[in-house]
Amino acid sequence: MDVTFKIRRRNPDLPDLAKPYWQEFLLKDVDPTDRVLEMLHRIKWEQDGSLSLRRSCAHGVCGSDAMRINGVNRLACKILIRDVGDKVQVEPILGLPVIKDLIVDMEPFFDHYKQVMPFFVNDDPLPADGRERLQTQADREQFDDTTKCILCACCTTSCPSFWANGHYVGPAAIVGAHRFIFDSRDQAGGERLDILSEPNGVWRCRTIFNCTPACPRDIEVTKAIGEVKLAIRKGTNVGIIETSAIH
Ligand code: SF4
Ligand code: F3S
Ligand code: FES
């Protein structure tokens, strides 16, 4: 089949191409099971080597090829041509500065992520017998979903609250915080909840729900945000109070 790609492009280094513009490319002999990422490679390698995009693993693991495909945030390596049809529109994800073509500056996104202390905190000595810090299966289950995040930014850059206010920490950062807030072995849940109680924290979420269908890892993002809101309202770390850790 023939497929037409319409790609949003921009090259700030060249005055003639500094403003965003659309460019079309026709690809022939495309198989419906080809992935969008492979087709972007074909465009770059066969038609226009100046096309810029970010990708690495090509298997939905690294999270580097998030882009807006036919108006929806997707990982280009996980989407097949049969899912998007013979006219494919590709744009950079929204709400982050465009560096070139489909590449955005991810620094503001990672700055938000770093704000929420996305790392394990426990100053107690390890168990004397040298074992790991154990927890029950029920404890582990509380944050299982949010361990799956690959920091692709599909959720945050699909969120109208983030588009309206780039200072909003965003759903990905809240997912990152959730993973540790509800870990019964962690000791910094209260600090993270304080951070997320700030004006640009979790209450900027208006439950618009764009983030959940945008997630390529099928994380229930809005549910995780709701659990964090509830924990703040209760004024405590629900995970630690309601479950028991094994040490
Ligand atoms: Fe990507 Fe999902 Fe993580 Fe958001 S929660 S950054 S969409 S993997
Ligand atoms: Fe945005 Fe998701 Fe909340 S789209 S408003 S973070 S439910
Ligand atoms: Fe790694 Fe798509 S290239 S997730």
Side-chain angles (χ1 to χ4, degrees), residues 40-58:
L40 293 172
H41 281 157
R42 272 188 60 186
I43 292 169
K44 182 173 177 64
W45 295 336
E46 297 170 8
Q47 298 190 33
D48 186 344
S50 71
L51 177 67
S52 298
L53 63 144
R54 194 183 269 132
R55 80 283 189 229
S56 182
C57 71

PDB file of all heavy atoms in Angstrom, residues 40-58:
ATOM      1  N   LEU A  40       9.302   6.233   9.411  1.00  0.00           N
ATOM      2  CA  LEU A  40      10.064   7.480   9.598  1.00  0.00           C
ATOM      3  C   LEU A  40      11.539   7.253   9.258  1.00  0.00           C
ATOM      4  O   LEU A  40      12.200   8.124   8.693  1.00  0.00           O
ATOM      5  CB  LEU A  40       9.898   7.986  11.042  1.00  0.00           C
ATOM      6  CG  LEU A  40       8.485   8.460  11.402  1.00  0.00           C
ATOM      7  CD1 LEU A  40       8.383   8.746  12.894  1.00  0.00           C
ATOM      8  CD2 LEU A  40       8.095   9.706  10.598  1.00  0.00           C
ATOM      9  N   HIS A  41      12.040   6.071   9.586  1.00  0.00           N
ATOM     10  CA  HIS A  41      13.410   5.730   9.170  1.00  0.00           C
ATOM     11  C   HIS A  41      13.524   5.725   7.649  1.00  0.00           C
ATOM     12  O   HIS A  41      14.492   6.232   7.089  1.00  0.00           O
ATOM     13  CB  HIS A  41      13.794   4.344   9.714  1.00  0.00           C
ATOM     14  CG  HIS A  41      14.180   4.343  11.149  1.00  0.00           C
ATOM     15  ND1 HIS A  41      14.108   3.224  11.943  1.00  0.00           N
ATOM     16  CD2 HIS A  41      14.640   5.335  11.950  1.00  0.00           C
ATOM     17  CE1 HIS A  41      14.527   3.519  13.157  1.00  0.00           C
ATOM     18  NE2 HIS A  41      14.839   4.794  13.196  1.00  0.00           N
ATOM     19  N   ARG A  42      12.536   5.140   6.990  1.00  0.00           N
ATOM     20  CA  ARG A  42      12.588   5.103   5.511  1.00  0.00           C
ATOM     21  C   ARG A  42      12.622   6.524   4.948  1.00  0.00           C
ATOM     22  O   ARG A  42      13.357   6.814   4.007  1.00  0.00           O
ATOM     23  CB  ARG A  42      11.376   4.339   4.964  1.00  0.00           C
ATOM     24  CG  ARG A  42      11.616   2.846   4.847  1.00  0.00           C
ATOM     25  CD  ARG A  42      10.479   2.149   4.114  1.00  0.00           C
ATOM     26  NE  ARG A  42      10.295   2.652   2.761  1.00  0.00           N
ATOM     27  CZ  ARG A  42       9.280   2.285   1.961  1.00  0.00           C
ATOM     28  NH1 ARG A  42       8.392   1.398   2.389  1.00  0.00           N
ATOM     29  NH2 ARG A  42       9.157   2.793   0.747  1.00  0.00           N
ATOM     30  N   ILE A  43      11.792   7.400   5.526  1.00  0.00           N
ATOM     31  CA  ILE A  43      11.790   8.790   5.040  1.00  0.00           C
ATOM     32  C   ILE A  43      13.169   9.407   5.243  1.00  0.00           C
ATOM     33  O   ILE A  43      13.735  10.039   4.353  1.00  0.00           O
ATOM     34  CB  ILE A  43      10.699   9.602   5.761  1.00  0.00           C
ATOM     35  CG1 ILE A  43       9.318   9.107   5.338  1.00  0.00           C
ATOM     36  CG2 ILE A  43      10.849  11.099   5.475  1.00  0.00           C
ATOM     37  CD1 ILE A  43       8.176   9.647   6.179  1.00  0.00           C
ATOM     38  N   LYS A  44      13.709   9.192   6.421  1.00  0.00           N
ATOM     39  CA  LYS A  44      15.014   9.799   6.727  1.00  0.00           C
ATOM     40  C   LYS A  44      16.132   9.202   5.864  1.00  0.00           C
ATOM     41  O   LYS A  44      16.992   9.916   5.373  1.00  0.00           O
ATOM     42  CB  LYS A  44      15.323   9.603   8.222  1.00  0.00           C
ATOM     43  CG  LYS A  44      16.638  10.239   8.676  1.00  0.00           C
ATOM     44  CD  LYS A  44      16.786  10.163  10.176  1.00  0.00           C
ATOM     45  CE  LYS A  44      18.134  10.725  10.627  1.00  0.00           C
ATOM     46  NZ  LYS A  44      18.296  12.163  10.335  1.00  0.00           N
ATOM     47  N   TRP A  45      16.096   7.905   5.694  1.00  0.00           N
ATOM     48  CA  TRP A  45      17.209   7.242   5.010  1.00  0.00           C
ATOM     49  C   TRP A  45      17.072   7.243   3.483  1.00  0.00           C
ATOM     50  O   TRP A  45      18.058   7.141   2.767  1.00  0.00           O
ATOM     51  CB  TRP A  45      17.350   5.799   5.522  1.00  0.00           C
ATOM     52  CG  TRP A  45      17.731   5.745   6.979  1.00  0.00           C
ATOM     53  CD1 TRP A  45      18.367   6.711   7.696  1.00  0.00           C
ATOM     54  CD2 TRP A  45      17.488   4.681   7.903  1.00  0.00           C
ATOM     55  NE1 TRP A  45      18.533   6.311   9.009  1.00  0.00           N
ATOM     56  CE2 TRP A  45      18.008   5.065   9.159  1.00  0.00           C
ATOM     57  CE3 TRP A  45      16.882   3.425   7.803  1.00  0.00           C
ATOM     58  CZ2 TRP A  45      17.938   4.250  10.290  1.00  0.00           C
ATOM     59  CZ3 TRP A  45      16.811   2.614   8.931  1.00  0.00           C
ATOM     60  CH2 TRP A  45      17.345   3.030  10.154  1.00  0.00           C
ATOM     61  N   GLU A  46      15.806   7.345   2.998  1.00  0.00           N
ATOM     62  CA  GLU A  46      15.626   7.257   1.539  1.00  0.00           C
ATOM     63  C   GLU A  46      15.264   8.596   0.892  1.00  0.00           C
ATOM     64  O   GLU A  46      15.449   8.778  -0.296  1.00  0.00           O
ATOM     65  CB  GLU A  46      14.512   6.244   1.217  1.00  0.00           C
ATOM     66  CG  GLU A  46      14.830   4.828   1.664  1.00  0.00           C
ATOM     67  CD  GLU A  46      13.622   3.898   1.549  1.00  0.00           C
ATOM     68  OE1 GLU A  46      12.587   4.312   0.976  1.00  0.00           O
ATOM     69  OE2 GLU A  46      13.721   2.766   2.058  1.00  0.00           O
ATOM     70  N   GLN A  47      14.681   9.537   1.705  1.00  0.00           N
ATOM     71  CA  GLN A  47      14.178  10.751   1.063  1.00  0.00           C
ATOM     72  C   GLN A  47      14.776  12.051   1.603  1.00  0.00           C
ATOM     73  O   GLN A  47      15.054  12.970   0.851  1.00  0.00           O
ATOM     74  CB  GLN A  47      12.639  10.811   1.185  1.00  0.00           C
ATOM     75  CG  GLN A  47      11.938   9.655   0.502  1.00  0.00           C
ATOM     76  CD  GLN A  47      10.433   9.874   0.421  1.00  0.00           C
ATOM     77  OE1 GLN A  47       9.947  10.981   0.295  1.00  0.00           O
ATOM     78  NE2 GLN A  47       9.685   8.779   0.511  1.00  0.00           N
ATOM     79  N   ASP A  48      14.907  12.147   2.922  1.00  0.00           N
ATOM     80  CA  ASP A  48      15.375  13.417   3.480  1.00  0.00           C
ATOM     81  C   ASP A  48      16.151  13.151   4.774  1.00  0.00           C
ATOM     82  O   ASP A  48      15.548  12.991   5.844  1.00  0.00           O
ATOM     83  CB  ASP A  48      14.178  14.340   3.753  1.00  0.00           C
ATOM     84  CG  ASP A  48      14.614  15.734   4.199  1.00  0.00           C
ATOM     85  OD1 ASP A  48      15.789  15.894   4.594  1.00  0.00           O
ATOM     86  OD2 ASP A  48      13.793  16.658   4.149  1.00  0.00           O
ATOM     87  N   GLY A  49      17.460  13.121   4.650  1.00  0.00           N
ATOM     88  CA  GLY A  49      18.303  12.814   5.804  1.00  0.00           C
ATOM     89  C   GLY A  49      18.289  13.873   6.885  1.00  0.00           C
ATOM     90  O   GLY A  49      18.790  13.644   7.990  1.00  0.00           O
ATOM     91  N   SER A  50      17.693  15.037   6.580  1.00  0.00           N
ATOM     92  CA  SER A  50      17.670  16.095   7.597  1.00  0.00           C
ATOM     93  C   SER A  50      16.529  15.910   8.597  1.00  0.00           C
ATOM     94  O   SER A  50      16.473  16.616   9.603  1.00  0.00           O
ATOM     95  CB  SER A  50      17.562  17.477   6.938  1.00  0.00           C
ATOM     96  OG  SER A  50      16.278  17.652   6.389  1.00  0.00           O
ATOM     97  N   LEU A  51      15.609  14.987   8.331  1.00  0.00           N
ATOM     98  CA  LEU A  51      14.509  14.755   9.279  1.00  0.00           C
ATOM     99  C   LEU A  51      15.084  14.260  10.606  1.00  0.00           C
ATOM    100  O   LEU A  51      15.850  13.301  10.645  1.00  0.00           O
ATOM    101  CB  LEU A  51      13.526  13.717   8.725  1.00  0.00           C
ATOM    102  CG  LEU A  51      12.375  13.350   9.655  1.00  0.00           C
ATOM    103  CD1 LEU A  51      11.432  14.544   9.855  1.00  0.00           C
ATOM    104  CD2 LEU A  51      11.599  12.151   9.122  1.00  0.00           C
ATOM    105  N   SER A  52      14.683  14.928  11.697  1.00  0.00           N
ATOM    106  CA  SER A  52      15.251  14.593  13.006  1.00  0.00           C
ATOM    107  C   SER A  52      14.198  14.017  13.928  1.00  0.00           C
ATOM    108  O   SER A  52      13.101  14.569  14.058  1.00  0.00           O
ATOM    109  CB  SER A  52      15.865  15.838  13.651  1.00  0.00           C
ATOM    110  OG  SER A  52      16.919  16.314  12.856  1.00  0.00           O
ATOM    111  N   LEU A  53      14.519  12.910  14.535  1.00  0.00           N
ATOM    112  CA  LEU A  53      13.649  12.287  15.534  1.00  0.00           C
ATOM    113  C   LEU A  53      14.529  11.567  16.542  1.00  0.00           C
ATOM    114  O   LEU A  53      15.693  11.282  16.279  1.00  0.00           O
ATOM    115  CB  LEU A  53      12.677  11.298  14.879  1.00  0.00           C
ATOM    116  CG  LEU A  53      13.290  10.091  14.168  1.00  0.00           C
ATOM    117  CD1 LEU A  53      12.400   8.883  14.367  1.00  0.00           C
ATOM    118  CD2 LEU A  53      13.423  10.371  12.663  1.00  0.00           C
ATOM    119  N   ARG A  54      13.916  11.300  17.693  1.00  0.00           N
ATOM    120  CA  ARG A  54      14.662  10.630  18.759  1.00  0.00           C
ATOM    121  C   ARG A  54      14.131   9.209  18.897  1.00  0.00           C
ATOM    122  O   ARG A  54      12.923   9.004  18.906  1.00  0.00           O
ATOM    123  CB  ARG A  54      14.448  11.409  20.061  1.00  0.00           C
ATOM    124  CG  ARG A  54      15.394  11.045  21.169  1.00  0.00           C
ATOM    125  CD  ARG A  54      15.042  11.829  22.432  1.00  0.00           C
ATOM    126  NE  ARG A  54      15.722  13.091  22.564  1.00  0.00           N
ATOM    127  CZ  ARG A  54      15.133  14.248  22.871  1.00  0.00           C
ATOM    128  NH1 ARG A  54      13.828  14.289  23.059  1.00  0.00           N
ATOM    129  NH2 ARG A  54      15.827  15.350  22.999  1.00  0.00           N
ATOM    130  N   ARG A  55      14.960   8.232  18.972  1.00  0.00           N
ATOM    131  CA  ARG A  55      14.565   6.847  19.219  1.00  0.00           C
ATOM    132  C   ARG A  55      15.792   6.074  19.639  1.00  0.00           C
ATOM    133  O   ARG A  55      16.920   6.485  19.374  1.00  0.00           O
ATOM    134  CB  ARG A  55      13.888   6.177  18.018  1.00  0.00           C
ATOM    135  CG  ARG A  55      14.860   5.681  16.950  1.00  0.00           C
ATOM    136  CD  ARG A  55      15.364   6.814  16.109  1.00  0.00           C
ATOM    137  NE  ARG A  55      16.116   6.378  14.972  1.00  0.00           N
ATOM    138  CZ  ARG A  55      17.315   6.868  14.651  1.00  0.00           C
ATOM    139  NH1 ARG A  55      17.915   7.742  15.444  1.00  0.00           N
ATOM    140  NH2 ARG A  55      17.910   6.463  13.578  1.00  0.00           N
ATOM    141  N   SER A  56      15.546   4.922  20.281  1.00  0.00           N
ATOM    142  CA  SER A  56      16.683   4.102  20.688  1.00  0.00           C
ATOM    143  C   SER A  56      16.351   2.628  20.563  1.00  0.00           C
ATOM    144  O   SER A  56      16.779   1.949  19.650  1.00  0.00           O
ATOM    145  CB  SER A  56      17.109   4.451  22.112  1.00  0.00           C
ATOM    146  OG  SER A  56      18.216   3.694  22.481  1.00  0.00           O
ATOM    147  N   CYS A  57      15.499   2.107  21.477  1.00  0.00           N
ATOM    148  CA  CYS A  57      15.316   0.655  21.546  1.00  0.00           C
ATOM    149  C   CYS A  57      14.488   0.086  20.401  1.00  0.00           C
ATOM    150  O   CYS A  57      14.672  -1.051  20.000  1.00  0.00           O
ATOM    151  CB  CYS A  57      14.676   0.282  22.877  1.00  0.00           C
ATOM    152  SG  CYS A  57      12.936   0.775  22.997  1.00  0.00           S
ATOM    153  N   ALA A  58      13.530   0.870  19.904  1.00  0.00           N
ATOM    154  CA  ALA A  58      12.590   0.423  18.861  1.00  0.00           C
ATOM    155  C   ALA A  58      11.664  -0.692  19.329  1.00  0.00           C
ATOM    156  O   ALA A  58      11.032  -1.347  18.507  1.00  0.00           O
ATOM    157  CB  ALA A  58      13.316   0.005  17.586  1.00  0.00           C
TER     158      ALA A  58
END
